[in-house]
Amino acid sequence: MADQQVIEEHFDVLTKAGDKTGITKPRGDVHRDGDYHRAVHVWIYAESTQEILLQRRSDCKDSWPGQWDISSAGHISAGDSSLVTARRELHEELGIILPKDAFELLFVFLQECVINDGKFINNEYNDVYLVTTIDPIPLEAFTLQESEVSAVKYISLEEYRSLLAKEDPQYVPYDVNGQYGQLFDILSKRYKQNAEERALSLQKQLNRYARVSLDAELTGLSSADKEALSLLVKAARIMDQIFFLQVWYSNPSLRDWLELHADDSQLNKSKWMYYVINKSPWSSLDENEAFLTTADSAVKLLPEATKSVAGWKGIEYRTAFPIVKPPGANFYPPDMDKMEFELWKNSLPEDKKKEATGFFNVIKRESERILDETLSNGTPSSSSPHDLYIVPYSEEYNAFLTKASDLLHKAGDLTSSSSLKKLLHSKADAFLSNEYYDSDIAWMELDSKLDITIGPYETYEDAIFGYKATFEAFIGVRDDEATAQLKLFGDQLQVLEKNLPMDDVYKSQDVIAAPIRVVRLIYNAGDVKGPQTVAFNLPNDERIVKDRGTSMVMLKNVSEAKFKLILQPIAHACIIEGQRKYVDFDSFFTHTICHECCHGIGPHTITLPNGKKSTVRLELQELYSALEEAKADIVGLWALRFLVNKDLLPKTLIKSMYVSFLAGCFRSVRFGLEEAHGKGQALQFNYLFDKGAFVLHPDGTFSVDFDKASCFLSPKVEDAVESLSREILTIQGRGDKDAAKALLLKHCVMTPPLRYALEKLETIKVPVDILPDFSIANEILRKSV
């Protein structure tokens, strides 16, 4: 029988910048020609001994034979993914079976070198992963792949660093003073932090939030609605559980671990308290900088991850999360890039393309599913021709949604309000069918004293494309008097659309009046982290926006708390004395209303220059949220002036709304330039400041440029507002992502005036946001335990 022909491994050829070229070549040709390609490095680190595992490369290797090297490493074959390759290499080389939550992506390292007398050129992008075990794995537990690995050993991190620094010939060389030094720096810093200093640092971050009790009067609710309220709070709590999972796949483990150990020390208590605010290990107010590390995370035991060793219980490892917050959250494979998604999406039929970019599904990897099945039972099911595939929310979160659906049906049976009954039953059905259109229409038509918003809506967490919706819940009691006063804004939407400062070709002829409900919040859950929202305009589904418009909910008690605890102190510190009197709650709340209304006008469904129908969200992708928030803000300011000119609002509102807006700029920018509202606010402030609409005075205070003769706004203020409104609306109308990127890059920066104001607020310790305490909901949840 003839020898079976060995097929040489092929690699994806990359550009020097690391992007795929679409070309694949055999391994030998890649290293002969010096093509850029990709590989993985996996380091196993033992926490208790601060040792790192090394493998000795087989003597038959074509590079660095017989030398000590990374715990496990390997090339990423053409069409393969990084994380699947890392898991597979660890299994093949060392006989270790680990789930994906054991792998922490530390950084990407570019290695460029020439060895073997110029015959082996290695231009390699390496995804560097860390696996953190509590104790060293017994050496006899490993099953070595003889063609790759001849031995393994543990060595202290510092000794290994020293050997590399000396360029010891027994070790594969890495420049510890260069890019690869990050490995040692990260681990050294991670395990040498002072507990007291960390606790003080976390307390400082916690102090940026002002705790406030948010309640509402329940006397207007019927006894049936009060019973329903108890069930709704429990359903809302489930939205929290889904959201934790949507943020990152190991996030629920981290949450449970931190809560379990919260009483162990002051540091652990601070970790838990700040985690509860952010609902992840990344701080919302610090550009999503990690305030925890994998060393703080949950410990899991895997008794059968390796071959058994007498007296050893198995691998205990830390569930990992990356230092840098993943832009795709847990909606996409963590190692998926835009190009891979686009190539896959473009291969799909039209209906599947819409599904791939839709709100209510996650994208998964076929090779990961197959690897899991292979490692668990050795019998993988058949694969599809493409590695990515779609899983609807109703399947991905079925266990959670089934419970929530049951609670909503029970609440719907109890309530005496026909519109609330319709909403709850339709939303309960949507959780299981994954069809949300009817339930969102029912939400828009809600006319009930007990007000609830629940389901997948906002797309801020999807920083890759802005496609995928996160689950959230808001429960409140409607303020009937305040709601009645706001009818004006909904009634004027078509008039505002008609007069928007943009070309008529981008305007809609059938804007529908947006119902507005003013609510006093009782409880929120799910995608409510860090800064608390004061209002929301939903749904985001362009089909509904086109057919029925939008509806908005104003959270009045949240707005009142933010105005009193945050905006007034900001105004006192940052606004020139003569204009501070103009900062009032009515102006702040009125602009918030107009902001939400303006989400419902302007371009949504658009026609591209090539005649193709699309939406602003699909065209602007990850830039959409920040630009949309900026649009709603600045067009809201324009709209208020328009309504004053039409005598629909009093002229006395003009000064107060502009000065309150200026003070509000400093409030929102403090949320950070990675957050959509903060980014959008920085764009507006810097643009208006550059145009002279805002003025910085020698004493460090700011003012709106009023005309000294008339004591009204100077023309440059209104011109700047109209100019920025026009620019943003036109970008949206054209679906011009390049122009959106240029505008954001130019103005979404921490300029000296902004930095000066924020440093002043930090010095006098003005809270950045509120931390609500929901006593009514908390009592309901306590009783249900």
Side-chain angles (χ1 to χ4, degrees):
M1 185 177 187
D3 290 338
Q4 188 174 5
Q5 185 177 5
V6 177
I7 300 174
E8 187 173 6
E9 186 179 15
H10 279 61
F11 300 156
D12 288 311
V13 175
L14 310 178
T15 67
K16 190 170 183 178
D19 299 318
K20 288 182 180 178
T21 62
I23 300 169
T24 65
K25 290 172 65 173
R27 173 193 175 113
D29 293 357
V30 165
H31 284 298
R32 179 198 66 203
D33 299 337
D35 294 312
Y36 286 84
H37 57 286
R38 189 169 288 279
V40 295
H41 290 183
V42 181
W43 292 97
I44 298 178
Y45 178 76
E47 191 173 80
S48 63
T49 61
Q50 297 185 33
E51 291 179 313
I52 206 151
L53 181 76
L54 299 182
Q55 66 160 265
R56 189 163 63 201
R57 298 169 67 84
S58 170
D59 290 334
C60 63
K61 297 286 289 183
D62 59 2
S63 58
W64 299 285
Q67 290 180 287
W68 291 100
D69 198 5
I70 304 155
S71 308
S72 177
H75 290 99
I76 301 175
S77 298
D80 274 0
S81 70
S82 170
L83 185 53
V84 167
T85 300
R87 294 176 64 199
R88 186 189 297 123
E89 289 293 332
L90 202 60
H91 176 237
E92 291 176 354
E93 291 187 353
L94 303 181
I96 303 175
I97 300 173
L98 291 176
K100 67 180 181 180
D101 70 355
F103 294 79
E104 174 187 358
L105 179 63
L106 292 180
F107 56 89
V108 177
F109 164 62
L110 174 58
Q111 184 178 32
E112 296 174 296
C113 64
V114 181
I115 60 173
N116 299 350
D117 298 323
K119 297 175 183 177
F120 190 97
I121 305 172
N122 197 44
N123 291 324
E124 192 169 83
Y125 278 93
N126 299 285
D127 294 344
V128 181
Y129 290 96
L130 179 71
V131 172
T132 301
T133 64
I134 303 304
D135 297 310
I137 301 168
L139 298 186
E140 58 268 35
F142 295 104
T143 303
L144 305 185
Q145 184 181 19
E146 293 182 3
S147 61
E148 298 285 336
V149 185
S150 60
V152 291
K153 70 175 181 179
Y154 275 99
I155 186 172
S156 78
L157 190 68
E158 289 307 315
E159 183 183 355
Y160 181 50
R161 183 174 196 161
S162 176
L163 290 166
L164 290 179
K166 295 174 186 175
E167 299 183 6
D168 190 303
Q170 295 184 67
Y171 295 81
V172 174
Y174 294 100
D175 183 4
V176 294
N177 296 314
Q179 193 181 11
Y180 219 92
Q182 292 178 82
L183 170 69
F184 303 93
D185 294 340
I186 289 168
L187 286 173
S188 178
K189 180 181 178 182
R190 182 172 293 183
Y191 289 96
K192 290 182 180 178
Q193 288 181 309
N194 180 280
E196 187 175 340
E197 289 177 1
R198 280 196 73 192
L200 288 172
S201 176
L202 284 167
Q203 189 58 52
K204 186 178 178 181
Q205 290 176 298
L206 282 163
N207 289 343
R208 294 178 292 180
Y209 290 88
R211 188 172 288 278
V212 61
S213 179
L214 291 183
D215 288 318
E217 184 58 59
L218 301 184
T219 53
L221 297 182
S222 67
S223 57
D225 281 352
K226 288 179 183 177
E227 285 187 67
L229 172 62
S230 180
L231 296 168
L232 294 178
V233 169
K234 294 172 188 175
R237 187 67 179 271
I238 295 173
M239 300 302 104
D240 252 348
Q241 294 175 282
I242 299 175
F243 179 67
F244 280 115
L245 184 56
Q246 290 185 303
V247 171
W248 187 245
Y249 47 77
S250 65
N251 200 31
S253 298
L254 173 62
R255 174 201 62 206
D256 295 345
W257 179 266
L258 292 174
E259 184 175 20
L260 179 65
H261 293 276
D263 294 329
D264 290 356
S265 66
Q266 182 56 50
L267 174 57
N268 281 4
K269 183 177 181 181
S270 298
K271 289 178 189 176
W272 170 242
M273 290 173 66
Y274 200 53
Y275 177 88
V276 167
I277 292 173
N278 291 280
K279 298 185 178 180
S280 83
W282 301 287
S283 175
S284 300
L285 294 182
D286 299 294
E287 316 293 351
N288 288 322
E289 180 182 347
F291 61 92
L292 299 173
T293 73
T294 292
D296 301 306
S297 195
V299 175
K300 288 185 178 179
L301 172 64
L302 289 178
E304 299 177 351
T306 65
K307 64 183 178 185
S308 62
V309 174
W312 182 58
K313 61 184 177 181
I315 293 178
E316 283 187 296
Y317 74 94
R318 294 276 187 185
T319 57
F321 52 86
I323 298 168
V324 178
K325 185 179 181 184
N330 197 21
F331 299 120
Y332 309 95
D335 50 6
M336 184 203 81
D337 58 27
K338 280 189 173 185
M339 178 179 287
E340 181 184 7
F341 180 89
E342 294 293 349
L343 289 172
W344 166 69
K345 183 196 73 175
N346 293 337
S347 73
L348 301 174
E350 284 304 316
D351 61 329
K352 285 294 182 181
K353 283 182 185 177
K354 290 182 179 179
E355 195 176 345
T357 59
F359 291 105
F360 313 125
N361 58 67
V362 296
I363 309 301
K364 294 205 162 187
R365 215 179 259 299
E366 190 80 12
S367 56
E368 184 178 309
R369 179 187 63 78
I370 293 171
L371 179 64
D372 286 336
E373 291 177 355
T374 303
L375 295 179
S376 62
N377 56 38
T379 55
S381 57
S382 59
S383 63
S384 66
H386 295 284
D387 200 21
L388 301 180
Y389 66 100
I390 300 166
V391 180
Y393 282 180
S394 54
E395 180 180 329
E396 180 72 1
Y397 312 121
N398 182 264
F400 297 118
L401 292 175
T402 299
K403 293 177 184 177
S405 176
D406 183 55
L407 289 165
L408 292 190
H409 274 309
K410 288 177 179 176
D413 290 340
L414 285 171
T415 182
S416 55
S417 164
S418 59
S419 64
L420 180 57
K421 187 183 293 290
K422 180 180 179 181
L423 167 63
L424 296 178
H425 285 307
S426 62
K427 190 66 72 174
D429 292 340
F431 281 166
L432 302 184
S433 69
N434 218 49
E435 295 293 335
Y436 284 90
Y437 188 96
D438 290 341
S439 68
D440 282 342
I441 296 295
W443 176 81
M444 295 178 69
E445 295 173 345
L446 181 62
D447 181 16
S448 166
K449 188 71 175 176
L450 180 59
D451 195 286
I452 181 166
T453 302
I454 188 167
Y457 285 108
E458 303 292 3
T459 61
Y460 301 125
E461 284 295 307
D462 178 1
I464 295 184
F465 294 113
Y467 293 157
K468 307 305 176 187
T470 48
F471 282 82
E472 62 186 359
F474 295 86
I475 303 171
V477 176
R478 188 176 64 191
D479 185 326
D480 292 323
E481 182 179 351
T483 298
Q485 292 173 348
L486 300 182
K487 190 172 183 297
L488 161 70
F489 293 94
D491 290 347
Q492 294 300 314
L493 278 191
Q494 184 64 70
V495 177
L496 291 171
E497 175 80 21
K498 183 179 179 182
N499 288 278
L500 282 174
M502 64 176 178
D503 293 346
D504 289 345
V505 68
Y506 302 126
K507 295 177 182 176
S508 175
Q509 302 304 311
D510 53 358
V511 172
I512 301 164
I516 305 174
R517 311 195 292 266
V518 180
V519 166
R520 302 195 77 83
L521 187 65
I522 294 174
Y523 186 60
N524 62 22
D527 189 3
V528 190
K529 59 184 178 60
Q532 296 286 309
T533 187
V534 296
F536 47 88
N537 182 288
L538 297 172
N540 289 317
D541 189 333
E542 286 86 0
R543 298 173 303 164
I544 299 175
V545 174
K546 182 180 179 181
D547 295 345
R548 299 290 296 270
T550 58
S551 184
M552 59 201 81
V553 175
M554 320 297 299
L555 307 176
K556 192 168 186 180
N557 52 348
V558 177
S559 294
E560 290 168 343
K562 290 200 179 200
F563 180 79
K564 179 181 178 181
L565 296 171
I566 301 167
L567 198 66
Q568 282 187 322
I570 286 175
H572 186 76
C574 294
I575 303 299
I576 196 168
E577 185 176 0
Q579 292 190 4
R580 290 173 197 162
K581 62 187 177 185
Y582 297 118
V583 179
D584 61 49
F585 177 73
D586 286 343
S587 300
F588 173 64
F589 193 59
T590 300
H591 181 258
T592 303
I593 296 163
C594 216
H595 168 106
E596 297 303 328
C597 284
C598 289
H599 277 306
I601 60 176
H604 287 90
T605 300
I606 58 175
T607 302
L608 300 177
N610 62 7
K612 179 185 173 184
K613 293 287 185 183
S614 186
T615 67
V616 179
R617 183 186 301 276
L618 285 175
E619 296 306 314
L620 299 191
Q621 296 181 336
E622 78 279 7
L623 306 181
Y624 171 81
S625 293
L627 204 68
E628 176 62 20
E629 291 303 328
K631 179 208 83 173
D633 249 355
I634 200 69
V635 174
L637 207 54
W638 168 88
L640 287 171
R641 178 61 173 168
F642 179 86
L643 295 174
V644 167
N645 289 344
K646 294 292 183 181
D647 295 324
L648 295 171
L649 290 173
K651 287 184 170 58
T652 53
L653 185 64
I654 293 176
K655 284 188 176 181
S656 60
M657 73 184 185
Y658 274 91
V659 180
S660 296
F661 176 83
L662 172 57
C665 285
F666 303 125
R667 182 184 72 86
S668 296
V669 169
R670 296 175 85 201
F671 298 157
L673 300 190
E674 290 298 314
E675 194 270 344
H677 298 80
K679 189 180 291 187
Q681 200 73 69
L683 161 61
Q684 295 166 83
F685 174 86
N686 289 328
Y687 188 100
L688 296 181
F689 186 86
D690 289 348
K691 297 290 186 181
F694 297 153
V695 180
L696 174 60
H697 298 278
D699 65 353
T701 60
F702 294 80
S703 67
V704 178
D705 185 45
F706 290 155
D707 185 85
K708 293 180 181 178
S710 65
C711 292
F712 284 105
L713 294 173
S714 70
K716 69 176 67 171
V717 177
E718 294 186 359
D719 289 348
V721 169
E722 183 165 329
S723 174
L724 180 55
S725 297
R726 182 184 304 278
E727 187 165 354
I728 292 175
L729 289 165
T730 302
I731 287 170
Q732 290 184 323
R734 293 174 177 169
D736 190 341
K737 187 176 182 181
D738 289 339
K741 184 180 293 184
L743 183 66
L744 290 167
L745 281 174
K746 181 178 180 180
H747 294 292
C748 286
V749 293
M750 189 56 66
T751 56
L754 268 181
R755 184 177 292 107
Y756 180 84
L758 299 193
E759 286 174 354
K760 179 188 287 189
L761 297 176
E762 178 70 20
T763 301
I764 63 175
K765 301 194 183 321
V766 175
V768 177
D769 209 70
I770 63 169
L771 179 59
D773 181 63
F774 302 110
S775 59
I776 295 172
N778 289 339
E779 183 61 26
I780 290 171
L781 293 170
R782 271 193 294 270
K783 289 179 179 178
S784 66
V785 174

